[in-house]
Amino acid sequence: MAVTNAASMTIAEMREFASFTAAEQRYIRRSLDIGLSRCDAFRIWGRTQGETAAIRSQYVAYQELKALRGSIPSESGFDAIEEFIGKITRVAAFDLAQERIECFSAFRFLYERLLGAEARPWLPSAFCAAAALPQIRPERRKMLLQSLSEAAATAPGWSDRAPSFYPEFIEEVAA
């Protein structure tokens, strides 16, 4: 039964990933490669000088991830909130400013994998804070903030189940 449940959760995660735009899927895979140090992102994702520069900037922005993983505050206390929210907002703002993430669902999918399930309760706050910054174009800001559902914004609790599906780069095969 547990194996069946785990398999169905993985399939649900795959379906969710498939619902994202091609640009979101590409950005999530690249971000996971960079944020989880899975491979040389320059070699796999750097098709142009512009992409190589963006990857370099992302490596710099993502240097905060290790500290963030180790400093996720408890849901019940107010200790360490300022430092955590400040750092995650800065990293999230970088990602949203790249204009590849179109909605909260894609953001949540990415950050659950970058930071772990323990970060889930903090993701709506981080998303709203980053999306509302003046560095995000006003029309984009509106679109991003409207993508956060009332259910996600007011959830009474969050699953502590770790994500099981981590999408990876798949090389195209010549026909």
Side-chain angles (χ1 to χ4, degrees), residues 38-128:
R38 298 193 303 192
C39 64
D40 179 2
F42 292 108
R43 184 180 54 78
I44 291 178
W45 300 103
R47 300 177 299 187
T48 66
Q49 283 185 326
E51 283 184 344
T52 299
I55 291 167
R56 188 171 290 110
S57 296
Q58 195 169 8
Y59 268 112
V60 172
Y62 277 19
Q63 288 179 352
E64 296 281 2
L65 291 177
K66 185 175 183 180
L68 282 168
R69 286 182 197 114
S71 67
I72 298 171
S74 71
E75 287 181 58
S76 59
F78 290 98
D79 298 338
I81 290 176
E82 182 178 339
E83 184 177 338
F84 180 78
I85 288 294
K87 285 182 181 180
I88 194 172
T89 299
R90 185 173 50 243
V91 177
F94 171 85
D95 282 330
L96 296 179
Q98 300 305 300
E99 300 196 357
R100 300 292 188 278
I101 300 291
E102 302 291 327
C103 63
F104 175 70
S105 295
F107 173 85
R108 181 192 43 75
F109 186 94
L110 172 61
Y111 276 79
E112 284 177 352
R113 284 146 186 82
L114 289 175
L115 298 177
E118 304 81 31
R120 278 189 189 114
W122 300 99
L123 297 181
S125 298
F127 179 80
C128 286

